[in-house]
Amino acid sequence: MENLYIVAVILGIVEGLTEFIPVSSTGHMILVGSLLGFEGDKAATFEVFIQLGAILAVLVLYRDRFLNLILNLFADGIRFDDRGFTIWHVAIAMAPACILGFFFHKSIKGLFSDQSVVIGLVLGGLLMLAATWWRGPRRPVDDLERINYRQALFVGLAQCLSLWPGFSRSGATISGGMLAGMTSAVAAEFSFIVAVPMMTVATGYDMLKSYQFLDASDLPFFALGFVVSFVVAWAAIVWFLKLLQRIGLAPFAYYRFLVALLYSVLVIL
């Protein structure tokens, strides 16, 4: 049981550290879980559950933004113009991946292997480099309030790529935002905000399908992973936003290539 708690701490750290930086939390969880020998239905359920800790970190950090989105919805009623940042920008960015995930959930889960992750790490890294090297508009969107629906949809379409394990939801959405004409900081902030309802829906759907693999004795183990994920995700978001403005996406892409290479050489081959 003690070893199980050590696994909970390790995976909580991995989830919190990688969920919102563009290196693929799912990919790292699969690879680390494989190395630790922590696999199977209960392991998959645990990995889904501790994502809720990372989601809570974003919700707390951006609580004022989320509160304004809700209050503005009730104050302004249902309006479909894209003046200012509204809940409709978030809904539009969520829609494509939600639709694909719903209809192809079983097929997507079938992709969850270390070989698929390695492929996703490489392809996602190439997308990030493309976003870094692409020359966007002379005056990119530098404020969430200036995002339009077309840009939100483009981010949503890019997010569909993250259904392939290892591609990275944050990497796909940040890259999509930059390619749509946002600064890296605004693309990252939009990515974090979209992540909360997106991951809540995905996590809730997965939990409904897998809760039968749990029993009361799992509660301490799951709770520990949740808390560790929350604390580490909070620190990682603050750190990443500062680092992104200094070094950009490219170093994260090179890191992905290195992880893919090392894992392929040391484990797969």
Side-chain angles (χ1 to χ4, degrees):
M1 182 60 71
E2 290 181 359
N3 290 337
L4 205 58
Y5 288 129
I6 293 173
V7 169
V9 171
I10 293 173
L11 292 180
I13 292 172
V14 172
E15 167 61 27
L17 188 60
T18 60
E19 183 60 59
F20 300 107
I21 64 176
V23 296
S24 177
S25 63
T26 300
H28 278 72
M29 293 288 281
I30 291 173
L31 298 185
V32 174
S34 177
L35 291 174
L36 293 174
F38 184 63
E39 299 174 291
D41 293 328
K42 185 167 292 190
T45 305
F46 172 80
E47 291 167 2
V48 169
F49 179 79
I50 63 174
Q51 287 181 333
L52 294 172
I55 295 170
L56 183 60
V58 179
L59 195 57
V60 173
L61 279 169
Y62 288 93
R63 56 190 178 276
D64 292 338
R65 175 69 73 176
F66 283 106
L67 183 60
N68 287 335
L69 285 175
I70 295 171
L71 292 177
N72 289 338
L73 176 63
F74 287 105
D76 299 338
I78 299 177
R79 62 179 179 83
F80 296 100
D81 61 89
D82 57 3
R83 291 175 297 157
F85 184 63
T86 70
I87 201 167
W88 301 113
H89 291 86
V90 178
I92 289 171
M94 287 178 58
C98 283
I99 293 170
L100 284 180
F102 179 79
F103 285 105
F104 299 100
H105 181 267
K106 188 173 182 180
S107 299
I108 292 168
K109 287 299 181 183
L111 295 172
F112 278 44
S113 67
D114 49 3
Q115 292 93 340
S116 295
V117 168
V118 168
I119 295 171
L121 286 171
V122 174
L123 294 179
L126 293 175
L127 175 65
M128 290 159 58
L129 289 180
T132 299
W133 295 335
W134 183 71
R135 291 188 177 183
R138 186 169 299 178
R139 292 186 59 189
V141 172
D142 58 2
D143 190 324
L144 272 177
E145 297 298 327
R146 292 179 50 212
I147 295 176
N148 59 44
Y149 288 158
R150 178 188 59 79
Q151 292 169 319
L153 178 60
F154 194 90
V155 170
L157 294 173
Q159 186 169 228
C160 292
L161 297 172
S162 67
L163 296 175
W164 183 284
F167 214 102
S168 170
R169 195 207 61 81
S170 59
T173 51
I174 293 172
S175 298
M178 293 171 64
L179 291 170
M182 306 177 198
T183 64
S184 60
V186 170
E189 190 174 2
F190 187 45
S191 171
F192 298 157
I193 291 172
V194 172
V196 171
M198 186 72 203
M199 290 172 59
T200 300
V201 170
T203 301
Y205 187 71
D206 279 335
M207 289 299 296
L208 284 174
K209 286 181 167 290
S210 57
Y211 73 92
Q212 67 269 22
F213 299 117
L214 308 179
D215 54 56
S217 64
D218 295 317
L219 182 59
F221 168 63
F222 274 58
L224 178 60
F226 178 95
V227 172
V228 172
S229 174
F230 169 77
V231 173
V232 175
W234 181 308
I237 292 168
V238 174
W239 165 79
F240 173 65
L241 285 173
K242 294 178 180 178
L243 192 63
L244 182 63
Q245 296 185 57
R246 288 177 50 199
I247 66 174
L249 281 179
F252 295 97
Y254 299 140
Y255 165 80
R256 294 164 64 103
F257 298 151
L258 179 61
V259 170
L261 176 63
L262 289 177
Y263 192 87
S264 297
V265 171
L266 298 177
V267 180
I268 296 179
L269 298 180

